[in-house]
Amino acid sequence: MDSTNQLLKPVTAKINESGNIEIGGCDLVKLAEKYGTPLYVLDEETIRSVCRDYKNAFKNYPKVNMMYASKALCTMATSKLLFDEGFGFDVVSAGEIYTVYKAGVDMSRVLFNGNNKSFDELTLAIELGVGRISVDNFFELSLLNEIAKSHNKIVDILLRITPGIECHTHEYIQTGHLDSKFGFDLTQVDDAVELILNEYKNLKLHGLHAHIGSQIFETSVYGDEIEILIKEIARLDEKFSLKLDEINIGGGLGVKYTENDCPPSTYTIADIIIKRLDDCIKKYNIEPPALFIEPGRSVISTAGVTLYTVGSSKQVPKGKKYIAVDGGMADNPRPSMYQAKYVAGVANKKEVSSSKTVTIAGRFCESGDILIDGINLPELEEGDILCVYNTGAYNYSMASNYNRVQKPAMILVNNSQSDMLVKRETLEDLISHDEIPGRLKK
Ligand code: LLP
């Protein structure tokens, strides 16, 4: 069955009676007028549709827990919405912990992950009752045990392991290969377990955690990952009489940024995962573990679009036609960081046959600030509204204030209604943390 992550545009995207693009029943041109640009727009129906996909796809494995990877996009409103849809949360910083906490999330459904969690972050996690901490390395085991001891608590943990699986995605977003900065190498797991069982009395180990990469289109890698985790659980039981009953397989399911991208359906992935899990449970003769999955991008990317206003343009003699918009690498660093490709439409102009190939340039002071290098669009003029699709994940969450430009606003649309989720930064916001030392004021 098809799933929402296989769509390039939000499920509600269409051309309305005025000939403009509309999402969630809202005319994008009117949204741009009302809220200004650049503007992140999230479609509620698409988010809920993805959540339905995940729930239905995994319904045949009763012990499944979906943990949304907040790093893809973390705001209070999206956290509340996803929690109401049944998701727990994978968080990686005090900022993400605090955001989900303030959104009213049940903190026992939160897992804290990361390769260099600080003393303060681990302390906050313990104090706010974060449900699981995925311990990444020996240093953290010792540090966490000390903090847990000083709080007189037993902390529930997983061990993050490096499964040694290479998947075909951009090098920077691969994480499960052997030479990775994340997690315990499989040869170090026994030492970690011995320390937990014999020395670190304030840590309780529940299971193993791995993550193999992001924007994954291959299906077999998840089966291989499950085999490695279950085999390891059976081995640890044999060696230490240790009953681990949780596996967390991370996230990674891809999305469709361009027509050439063909991510697998959530249903296909779920079938592969459940089938291999059932096979491995029999093969290694273990009790069925609770299964945790941590999708980020596939949950939130398709729901998001970014609106920009077209400004200057430039025809290089015998070269490219550049169209500059009022945002770029600071609100979407993915093209300059990962050579990521995007598709866009013009919100106020119908697709016409007389389209031109143009390059969409950002407004930031770097030649590399190109949002889309070569796209056919109707002839663009100053004031046109460009809608870049599939920007819900890793755009706002990786946005910066480069060139001291304010971060855009984010809104949620549904049933012809639009609501503010994140206000546009003001010039005052930009200087609000600055101080001029007294001696410079003279
Ligand atoms: N779990 C762990 C432990 C992770 O490290 C990640 C992503 C996820 C879950 C969620 O993966 P997803 O389902 O979103 O693929 N900034 C990059 C992506 C980095 C992903 C890092 N880890 C990008 O814009 O493509």
Side-chain angles (χ1 to χ4, degrees), residues 54 67 69 71-72 90 92 113 160 172-173 175 182 209-211 213-216 222 248 250-254 257 294-299 334 337-338 342 393-395 398:
Y54 269 105
M67 311 287 280
K71 58 180 79 63
D90 155 37
V92 291
N113 210 349
R160 167 90 180 250
Y172 292 175
I173 52 182
T175 35
F182 295 103
H209 180 204
H211 171 76
S214 199
Q215 184 62 354
I216 295 174
Y222 286 102
N248 183 322
L253 177 59
Y257 286 112
E294 272 172 2
R297 186 192 316 266
S298 57
V299 174
R334 300 194 70 259
M337 278 181 88
Y338 316 118
Y342 286 88
Y394 302 111
N395 276 229
M398 297 204 299

mmCIF file of all heavy atoms in Angstrom, residues 54 67 69 71-72 90 92 113 160 172-173 175 182 209-211 213-216 222 248 250-254 257 294-299 334 337-338 342 393-395 398, ligand 1:
data_model
loop_
_atom_site.group_PDB
_atom_site.id
_atom_site.type_symbol
_atom_site.label_atom_id
_atom_site.label_comp_id
_atom_site.label_asym_id
_atom_site.label_seq_id
_atom_site.Cartn_x
_atom_site.Cartn_y
_atom_site.Cartn_z
ATOM 1 N N TYR A 54 1.826 5.118 9.969
ATOM 2 C CA TYR A 54 2.703 4.396 10.904
ATOM 3 C C TYR A 54 1.899 3.474 11.814
ATOM 4 O O TYR A 54 2.270 2.326 12.039
ATOM 5 C CB TYR A 54 3.557 5.378 11.732
ATOM 6 C CG TYR A 54 4.880 5.662 11.062
ATOM 7 C CD1 TYR A 54 5.128 6.869 10.419
ATOM 8 C CD2 TYR A 54 5.888 4.697 11.056
ATOM 9 C CE1 TYR A 54 6.338 7.116 9.787
ATOM 10 C CE2 TYR A 54 7.102 4.935 10.415
ATOM 11 C CZ TYR A 54 7.321 6.139 9.793
ATOM 12 O OH TYR A 54 8.519 6.362 9.157
ATOM 13 N N MET A 67 8.555 6.619 18.259
ATOM 14 C CA MET A 67 9.232 7.725 18.948
ATOM 15 C C MET A 67 9.637 8.727 17.880
ATOM 16 O O MET A 67 10.575 8.466 17.123
ATOM 17 C CB MET A 67 10.491 7.219 19.664
ATOM 18 C CG MET A 67 10.286 5.989 20.516
ATOM 19 S SD MET A 67 9.396 6.353 22.020
ATOM 20 C CE MET A 67 10.689 7.013 23.037
ATOM 21 N N ALA A 69 11.554 11.454 16.068
ATOM 22 C CA ALA A 69 12.899 12.039 16.236
ATOM 23 C C ALA A 69 12.792 13.558 16.128
ATOM 24 O O ALA A 69 12.729 14.125 15.039
ATOM 25 C CB ALA A 69 13.851 11.488 15.185
ATOM 26 N N LYS A 71 14.729 15.927 16.313
ATOM 27 C CA LYS A 71 15.741 16.716 15.615
ATOM 28 C C LYS A 71 15.258 17.151 14.227
ATOM 29 O O LYS A 71 15.741 18.124 13.688
ATOM 30 C CB LYS A 71 17.062 15.942 15.502
ATOM 31 C CG LYS A 71 16.937 14.620 14.796
ATOM 32 C CD LYS A 71 18.281 13.887 14.707
ATOM 33 C CE LYS A 71 18.654 13.185 15.986
ATOM 34 N NZ LYS A 71 17.732 12.108 16.404
ATOM 35 N N ALA A 72 14.274 16.437 13.663
ATOM 36 C CA ALA A 72 13.777 16.808 12.336
ATOM 37 C C ALA A 72 13.027 18.140 12.388
ATOM 38 O O ALA A 72 13.143 18.964 11.471
ATOM 39 C CB ALA A 72 12.875 15.709 11.777
ATOM 40 N N ASP A 90 12.154 10.958 20.585
ATOM 41 C CA ASP A 90 13.609 10.824 20.680
ATOM 42 C C ASP A 90 14.132 12.254 20.739
ATOM 43 O O ASP A 90 13.851 13.056 19.846
ATOM 44 C CB ASP A 90 14.108 10.086 19.428
ATOM 45 C CG ASP A 90 15.549 10.389 19.067
ATOM 46 O OD1 ASP A 90 16.369 10.537 19.983
ATOM 47 O OD2 ASP A 90 15.860 10.463 17.856
ATOM 48 N N VAL A 92 17.567 14.952 21.742
ATOM 49 C CA VAL A 92 19.031 14.916 21.748
ATOM 50 C C VAL A 92 19.682 16.114 22.443
ATOM 51 O O VAL A 92 20.883 16.312 22.316
ATOM 52 C CB VAL A 92 19.592 14.811 20.311
ATOM 53 C CG1 VAL A 92 19.272 13.463 19.706
ATOM 54 C CG2 VAL A 92 19.069 15.922 19.427
ATOM 55 N N ASN A 113 19.014 10.734 23.599
ATOM 56 C CA ASN A 113 20.001 10.139 22.734
ATOM 57 C C ASN A 113 21.115 11.140 22.477
ATOM 58 O O ASN A 113 20.885 12.333 22.606
ATOM 59 C CB ASN A 113 19.233 9.912 21.422
ATOM 60 C CG ASN A 113 19.728 8.766 20.662
ATOM 61 O OD1 ASN A 113 20.763 8.199 20.947
ATOM 62 N ND2 ASN A 113 18.960 8.437 19.643
ATOM 63 N N ARG A 160 23.477 2.184 23.050
ATOM 64 C CA ARG A 160 23.517 2.466 21.616
ATOM 65 C C ARG A 160 24.682 1.688 21.015
ATOM 66 O O ARG A 160 25.825 1.839 21.452
ATOM 67 C CB ARG A 160 23.709 3.978 21.400
ATOM 68 C CG ARG A 160 24.074 4.390 19.986
ATOM 69 C CD ARG A 160 22.861 4.676 19.155
ATOM 70 N NE ARG A 160 23.209 5.059 17.799
ATOM 71 C CZ ARG A 160 23.070 6.282 17.289
ATOM 72 N NH1 ARG A 160 22.611 7.254 18.052
ATOM 73 N NH2 ARG A 160 23.380 6.539 16.037
ATOM 74 N N TYR A 172 27.357 12.182 5.152
ATOM 75 C CA TYR A 172 27.191 12.895 6.412
ATOM 76 C C TYR A 172 25.987 12.398 7.210
ATOM 77 O O TYR A 172 25.856 12.699 8.382
ATOM 78 C CB TYR A 172 27.005 14.399 6.163
ATOM 79 C CG TYR A 172 28.217 15.099 5.637
ATOM 80 C CD1 TYR A 172 28.155 16.437 5.280
ATOM 81 C CD2 TYR A 172 29.431 14.431 5.502
ATOM 82 C CE1 TYR A 172 29.268 17.085 4.779
ATOM 83 C CE2 TYR A 172 30.540 15.076 4.999
ATOM 84 C CZ TYR A 172 30.450 16.399 4.639
ATOM 85 O OH TYR A 172 31.539 17.050 4.138
ATOM 86 N N ILE A 173 25.055 11.725 6.547
ATOM 87 C CA ILE A 173 23.877 11.277 7.297
ATOM 88 C C ILE A 173 23.826 9.755 7.445
ATOM 89 O O ILE A 173 22.837 9.193 7.822
ATOM 90 C CB ILE A 173 22.557 11.868 6.737
ATOM 91 C CG1 ILE A 173 22.409 11.656 5.247
ATOM 92 C CG2 ILE A 173 22.475 13.336 7.035
ATOM 93 C CD1 ILE A 173 21.130 12.276 4.657
ATOM 94 N N THR A 175 25.042 6.694 9.750
ATOM 95 C CA THR A 175 25.461 6.626 11.147
ATOM 96 C C THR A 175 25.775 5.224 11.637
ATOM 97 O O THR A 175 26.406 5.049 12.651
ATOM 98 C CB THR A 175 24.395 7.225 12.071
ATOM 99 O OG1 THR A 175 23.118 6.923 11.542
ATOM 100 C CG2 THR A 175 24.537 8.710 12.221
ATOM 101 N N PHE A 182 29.130 7.362 16.620
ATOM 102 C CA PHE A 182 28.020 7.031 17.508
ATOM 103 C C PHE A 182 28.110 5.606 18.047
ATOM 104 O O PHE A 182 28.318 4.666 17.288
ATOM 105 C CB PHE A 182 26.683 7.169 16.773
ATOM 106 C CG PHE A 182 26.370 8.563 16.355
ATOM 107 C CD1 PHE A 182 26.518 8.960 15.036
ATOM 108 C CD2 PHE A 182 25.911 9.492 17.285
ATOM 109 C CE1 PHE A 182 26.217 10.261 14.644
ATOM 110 C CE2 PHE A 182 25.613 10.786 16.898
ATOM 111 C CZ PHE A 182 25.769 11.169 15.578
ATOM 112 N N HIS A 209 19.942 -0.210 21.214
ATOM 113 C CA HIS A 209 19.503 0.855 20.310
ATOM 114 C C HIS A 209 20.502 0.981 19.165
ATOM 115 O O HIS A 209 21.702 0.890 19.393
ATOM 116 C CB HIS A 209 19.446 2.156 21.119
ATOM 117 C CG HIS A 209 19.005 3.352 20.348
ATOM 118 N ND1 HIS A 209 19.331 4.627 20.716
ATOM 119 C CD2 HIS A 209 18.252 3.484 19.236
ATOM 120 C CE1 HIS A 209 18.793 5.488 19.865
ATOM 121 N NE2 HIS A 209 18.140 4.819 18.954
ATOM 122 N N ALA A 210 19.996 1.178 17.964
ATOM 123 C CA ALA A 210 20.891 1.440 16.827
ATOM 124 C C ALA A 210 20.165 2.356 15.848
ATOM 125 O O ALA A 210 18.937 2.485 15.890
ATOM 126 C CB ALA A 210 21.273 0.140 16.129
ATOM 127 N N HIS A 211 20.935 2.998 15.011
ATOM 128 C CA HIS A 211 20.345 3.850 13.953
ATOM 129 C C HIS A 211 21.293 3.750 12.774
ATOM 130 O O HIS A 211 22.501 3.916 12.942
ATOM 131 C CB HIS A 211 20.236 5.288 14.465
ATOM 132 C CG HIS A 211 19.858 6.274 13.399
ATOM 133 N ND1 HIS A 211 18.577 6.393 12.923
ATOM 134 C CD2 HIS A 211 20.601 7.181 12.717
ATOM 135 C CE1 HIS A 211 18.545 7.332 11.998
ATOM 136 N NE2 HIS A 211 19.758 7.832 11.852
ATOM 137 N N GLY A 213 21.042 5.305 9.573
ATOM 138 C CA GLY A 213 21.229 6.408 8.639
ATOM 139 C C GLY A 213 19.906 7.076 8.347
ATOM 140 O O GLY A 213 18.883 6.735 8.940
ATOM 141 N N SER A 214 19.946 8.017 7.427
ATOM 142 C CA SER A 214 18.768 8.835 7.177
ATOM 143 C C SER A 214 18.524 8.939 5.677
ATOM 144 O O SER A 214 19.455 8.767 4.885
ATOM 145 C CB SER A 214 19.036 10.218 7.777
ATOM 146 O OG SER A 214 17.850 10.920 7.966
ATOM 147 N N GLN A 215 17.291 9.238 5.297
ATOM 148 C CA GLN A 215 16.890 9.301 3.879
ATOM 149 C C GLN A 215 17.252 7.979 3.193
ATOM 150 O O GLN A 215 17.900 7.932 2.141
ATOM 151 C CB GLN A 215 17.521 10.538 3.200
ATOM 152 C CG GLN A 215 17.126 10.793 1.757
ATOM 153 C CD GLN A 215 15.632 11.060 1.545
ATOM 154 O OE1 GLN A 215 14.818 10.956 2.453
ATOM 155 N NE2 GLN A 215 15.259 11.373 0.331
ATOM 156 N N ILE A 216 16.785 6.870 3.819
ATOM 157 C CA ILE A 216 17.087 5.528 3.337
ATOM 158 C C ILE A 216 15.983 5.061 2.384
ATOM 159 O O ILE A 216 14.799 5.189 2.690
ATOM 160 C CB ILE A 216 17.198 4.547 4.538
ATOM 161 C CG1 ILE A 216 18.390 4.935 5.421
ATOM 162 C CG2 ILE A 216 17.331 3.105 4.063
ATOM 163 C CD1 ILE A 216 18.503 4.131 6.691
ATOM 164 N N TYR A 222 17.002 -2.699 7.103
ATOM 165 C CA TYR A 222 16.297 -2.780 8.390
ATOM 166 C C TYR A 222 16.235 -4.224 8.893
ATOM 167 O O TYR A 222 16.359 -4.470 10.092
ATOM 168 C CB TYR A 222 14.884 -2.200 8.269
ATOM 169 C CG TYR A 222 14.888 -0.704 8.195
ATOM 170 C CD1 TYR A 222 14.723 -0.048 6.986
ATOM 171 C CD2 TYR A 222 15.097 0.055 9.343
ATOM 172 C CE1 TYR A 222 14.754 1.335 6.913
ATOM 173 C CE2 TYR A 222 15.128 1.434 9.281
ATOM 174 C CZ TYR A 222 14.952 2.076 8.063
ATOM 175 O OH TYR A 222 14.991 3.437 7.999
ATOM 176 N N ASN A 248 15.507 -0.769 19.858
ATOM 177 C CA ASN A 248 15.178 0.489 19.198
ATOM 178 C C ASN A 248 15.985 0.529 17.910
ATOM 179 O O ASN A 248 17.217 0.479 17.941
ATOM 180 C CB ASN A 248 15.545 1.657 20.119
ATOM 181 C CG ASN A 248 15.167 2.999 19.530
ATOM 182 O OD1 ASN A 248 15.292 3.212 18.333
ATOM 183 N ND2 ASN A 248 14.727 3.910 20.374
ATOM 184 N N GLY A 250 15.999 2.913 15.559
ATOM 185 C CA GLY A 250 16.270 4.236 15.007
ATOM 186 C C GLY A 250 15.258 4.637 13.948
ATOM 187 O O GLY A 250 14.169 4.070 13.854
ATOM 188 N N GLY A 251 15.653 5.626 13.145
ATOM 189 C CA GLY A 251 14.729 6.134 12.116
ATOM 190 C C GLY A 251 15.306 5.914 10.735
ATOM 191 O O GLY A 251 15.972 4.913 10.499
ATOM 192 N N GLY A 252 15.052 6.836 9.827
ATOM 193 C CA GLY A 252 15.746 6.798 8.550
ATOM 194 C C GLY A 252 14.921 6.680 7.288
ATOM 195 O O GLY A 252 15.440 6.889 6.194
ATOM 196 N N LEU A 253 13.640 6.309 7.407
ATOM 197 C CA LEU A 253 12.840 6.130 6.191
ATOM 198 C C LEU A 253 12.841 7.418 5.358
ATOM 199 O O LEU A 253 12.639 8.509 5.877
ATOM 200 C CB LEU A 253 11.408 5.726 6.564
ATOM 201 C CG LEU A 253 10.418 5.577 5.408
ATOM 202 C CD1 LEU A 253 10.868 4.531 4.398
ATOM 203 C CD2 LEU A 253 9.025 5.226 5.925
ATOM 204 N N GLY A 254 13.060 7.257 4.056
ATOM 205 C CA GLY A 254 13.214 8.407 3.175
ATOM 206 C C GLY A 254 11.914 9.065 2.746
ATOM 207 O O GLY A 254 10.818 8.552 2.989
ATOM 208 N N TYR A 257 11.812 14.016 -2.348
ATOM 209 C CA TYR A 257 12.116 15.438 -2.564
ATOM 210 C C TYR A 257 11.912 15.838 -4.021
ATOM 211 O O TYR A 257 11.594 16.979 -4.307
ATOM 212 C CB TYR A 257 13.565 15.738 -2.169
ATOM 213 C CG TYR A 257 13.802 15.759 -0.675
ATOM 214 C CD1 TYR A 257 14.562 14.785 -0.046
ATOM 215 C CD2 TYR A 257 13.265 16.767 0.126
ATOM 216 C CE1 TYR A 257 14.792 14.809 1.316
ATOM 217 C CE2 TYR A 257 13.480 16.803 1.487
ATOM 218 C CZ TYR A 257 14.244 15.822 2.079
ATOM 219 O OH TYR A 257 14.454 15.848 3.428
ATOM 220 N N GLU A 294 12.116 5.208 15.430
ATOM 221 C CA GLU A 294 12.373 6.638 15.658
ATOM 222 C C GLU A 294 12.366 7.459 14.384
ATOM 223 O O GLU A 294 13.369 8.096 14.053
ATOM 224 C CB GLU A 294 13.775 6.795 16.243
ATOM 225 C CG GLU A 294 13.866 6.708 17.705
ATOM 226 C CD GLU A 294 15.331 6.690 18.145
ATOM 227 O OE1 GLU A 294 16.239 6.781 17.300
ATOM 228 O OE2 GLU A 294 15.530 6.580 19.343
ATOM 229 N N PRO A 295 11.294 7.463 13.634
ATOM 230 C CA PRO A 295 11.319 8.248 12.400
ATOM 231 C C PRO A 295 11.218 9.748 12.672
ATOM 232 O O PRO A 295 10.502 10.172 13.579
ATOM 233 C CB PRO A 295 10.059 7.754 11.669
ATOM 234 C CG PRO A 295 9.129 7.319 12.757
ATOM 235 C CD PRO A 295 9.989 6.840 13.894
ATOM 236 N N GLY A 296 11.947 10.518 11.907
ATOM 237 C CA GLY A 296 11.860 11.980 12.025
ATOM 238 C C GLY A 296 11.404 12.562 10.699
ATOM 239 O O GLY A 296 10.264 12.985 10.515
ATOM 240 N N ARG A 297 12.319 12.500 9.708
ATOM 241 C CA ARG A 297 12.056 13.093 8.402
ATOM 242 C C ARG A 297 10.724 12.621 7.806
ATOM 243 O O ARG A 297 9.921 13.425 7.346
ATOM 244 C CB ARG A 297 13.203 12.704 7.461
ATOM 245 C CG ARG A 297 13.134 13.385 6.106
ATOM 246 C CD ARG A 297 14.119 12.732 5.117
ATOM 247 N NE ARG A 297 15.411 12.466 5.682
ATOM 248 C CZ ARG A 297 16.469 13.289 5.602
ATOM 249 N NH1 ARG A 297 16.373 14.425 4.964
ATOM 250 N NH2 ARG A 297 17.621 12.943 6.155
ATOM 251 N N SER A 298 10.492 11.278 7.811
ATOM 252 C CA SER A 298 9.305 10.752 7.125
ATOM 253 C C SER A 298 8.014 11.172 7.814
ATOM 254 O O SER A 298 6.945 11.108 7.222
ATOM 255 C CB SER A 298 9.385 9.224 7.017
ATOM 256 O OG SER A 298 9.538 8.652 8.306
ATOM 257 N N VAL A 299 8.112 11.615 9.073
ATOM 258 C CA VAL A 299 6.903 12.045 9.778
ATOM 259 C C VAL A 299 6.531 13.484 9.403
ATOM 260 O O VAL A 299 5.360 13.819 9.271
ATOM 261 C CB VAL A 299 7.108 11.949 11.319
ATOM 262 C CG1 VAL A 299 5.918 12.516 12.079
ATOM 263 C CG2 VAL A 299 7.368 10.505 11.732
ATOM 264 N N ARG A 334 20.098 22.636 3.649
ATOM 265 C CA ARG A 334 20.316 21.296 3.083
ATOM 266 C C ARG A 334 20.936 21.299 1.677
ATOM 267 O O ARG A 334 21.809 20.485 1.396
ATOM 268 C CB ARG A 334 19.018 20.472 3.115
ATOM 269 C CG ARG A 334 18.477 20.275 4.544
ATOM 270 C CD ARG A 334 17.407 19.204 4.642
ATOM 271 N NE ARG A 334 17.939 17.878 4.438
ATOM 272 C CZ ARG A 334 17.856 17.201 3.328
ATOM 273 N NH1 ARG A 334 17.229 17.711 2.283
ATOM 274 N NH2 ARG A 334 18.396 16.010 3.219
ATOM 275 N N MET A 337 24.622 22.080 2.247
ATOM 276 C CA MET A 337 25.333 21.081 3.060
ATOM 277 C C MET A 337 25.418 19.708 2.410
ATOM 278 O O MET A 337 26.403 19.009 2.548
ATOM 279 C CB MET A 337 24.625 20.896 4.413
ATOM 280 C CG MET A 337 24.993 21.933 5.433
ATOM 281 S SD MET A 337 24.126 21.603 6.982
ATOM 282 C CE MET A 337 25.267 20.498 7.780
ATOM 283 N N TYR A 338 24.310 19.291 1.794
ATOM 284 C CA TYR A 338 24.249 17.899 1.288
ATOM 285 C C TYR A 338 23.942 17.816 -0.203
ATOM 286 O O TYR A 338 23.532 16.759 -0.675
ATOM 287 C CB TYR A 338 23.150 17.111 2.012
ATOM 288 C CG TYR A 338 23.044 17.274 3.503
ATOM 289 C CD1 TYR A 338 21.892 17.802 4.076
ATOM 290 C CD2 TYR A 338 24.076 16.857 4.339
ATOM 291 C CE1 TYR A 338 21.768 17.921 5.453
ATOM 292 C CE2 TYR A 338 23.959 16.971 5.714
ATOM 293 C CZ TYR A 338 22.816 17.508 6.262
ATOM 294 O OH TYR A 338 22.695 17.622 7.612
ATOM 295 N N TYR A 342 15.472 20.018 -4.414
ATOM 296 C CA TYR A 342 14.082 20.352 -4.096
ATOM 297 C C TYR A 342 13.306 20.690 -5.352
ATOM 298 O O TYR A 342 13.888 21.055 -6.371
ATOM 299 C CB TYR A 342 14.029 21.552 -3.127
ATOM 300 C CG TYR A 342 14.427 21.189 -1.720
ATOM 301 C CD1 TYR A 342 15.752 21.235 -1.316
ATOM 302 C CD2 TYR A 342 13.475 20.773 -0.797
ATOM 303 C CE1 TYR A 342 16.128 20.874 -0.032
ATOM 304 C CE2 TYR A 342 13.830 20.406 0.493
ATOM 305 C CZ TYR A 342 15.158 20.464 0.870
ATOM 306 O OH TYR A 342 15.515 20.100 2.139
ATOM 307 N N ALA A 393 11.200 18.830 7.318
ATOM 308 C CA ALA A 393 12.237 18.237 8.174
ATOM 309 C C ALA A 393 13.600 18.873 7.917
ATOM 310 O O ALA A 393 13.959 19.140 6.770
ATOM 311 C CB ALA A 393 12.335 16.737 7.913
ATOM 312 N N TYR A 394 14.341 19.095 8.987
ATOM 313 C CA TYR A 394 15.729 19.558 8.921
ATOM 314 C C TYR A 394 15.884 20.881 8.163
ATOM 315 O O TYR A 394 16.898 21.129 7.532
ATOM 316 C CB TYR A 394 16.643 18.471 8.316
ATOM 317 C CG TYR A 394 16.607 17.168 9.091
ATOM 318 C CD1 TYR A 394 16.027 16.015 8.561
ATOM 319 C CD2 TYR A 394 17.121 17.105 10.387
ATOM 320 C CE1 TYR A 394 15.978 14.840 9.282
ATOM 321 C CE2 TYR A 394 17.069 15.925 11.111
ATOM 322 C CZ TYR A 394 16.502 14.793 10.554
ATOM 323 O OH TYR A 394 16.440 13.628 11.268
ATOM 324 N N ASN A 395 14.847 21.703 8.159
ATOM 325 C CA ASN A 395 14.969 23.054 7.613
ATOM 326 C C ASN A 395 14.957 24.014 8.789
ATOM 327 O O ASN A 395 16.000 24.538 9.182
ATOM 328 C CB ASN A 395 13.833 23.353 6.640
ATOM 329 C CG ASN A 395 14.123 22.841 5.231
ATOM 330 O OD1 ASN A 395 13.969 23.557 4.257
ATOM 331 N ND2 ASN A 395 14.560 21.602 5.110
ATOM 332 N N MET A 398 17.509 23.207 11.458
ATOM 333 C CA MET A 398 18.920 23.521 11.193
ATOM 334 C C MET A 398 19.093 24.981 10.763
ATOM 335 O O MET A 398 20.175 25.373 10.313
ATOM 336 C CB MET A 398 19.473 22.596 10.107
ATOM 337 C CG MET A 398 19.473 21.124 10.509
ATOM 338 S SD MET A 398 20.684 20.142 9.615
ATOM 339 C CE MET A 398 20.110 20.358 7.962
HETATM 340 N N1 LLP B 1 17.337 8.286 15.539
HETATM 341 C C1 LLP B 1 18.625 8.655 15.586
HETATM 342 C C2 LLP B 1 19.487 8.076 16.600
HETATM 343 C C3 LLP B 1 19.126 9.577 14.651
HETATM 344 O O1 LLP B 1 20.402 9.923 14.696
HETATM 345 C C4 LLP B 1 18.259 10.113 13.673
HETATM 346 C C5 LLP B 1 18.741 11.091 12.696
HETATM 347 C C6 LLP B 1 16.908 9.704 13.670
HETATM 348 C C7 LLP B 1 16.492 8.774 14.620
HETATM 349 C C8 LLP B 1 15.917 10.218 12.679
HETATM 350 O O2 LLP B 1 16.244 9.905 11.376
HETATM 351 P P1 LLP B 1 15.235 10.266 10.186
HETATM 352 O O3 LLP B 1 14.018 9.382 10.336
HETATM 353 O O4 LLP B 1 14.879 11.700 10.311
HETATM 354 O O5 LLP B 1 15.987 9.963 8.962
HETATM 355 N N2 LLP B 1 20.339 16.793 8.931
HETATM 356 C C9 LLP B 1 20.281 15.652 8.040
HETATM 357 C C10 LLP B 1 19.699 14.432 8.696
HETATM 358 C C11 LLP B 1 20.465 13.984 9.908
HETATM 359 C C12 LLP B 1 19.838 12.806 10.601
HETATM 360 C C13 LLP B 1 20.513 12.552 11.896
HETATM 361 N N3 LLP B 1 19.941 11.510 12.665
HETATM 362 C C14 LLP B 1 19.478 16.044 6.797
HETATM 363 O O6 LLP B 1 19.017 17.172 6.709
HETATM 364 O O7 LLP B 1 19.336 15.243 5.868
#
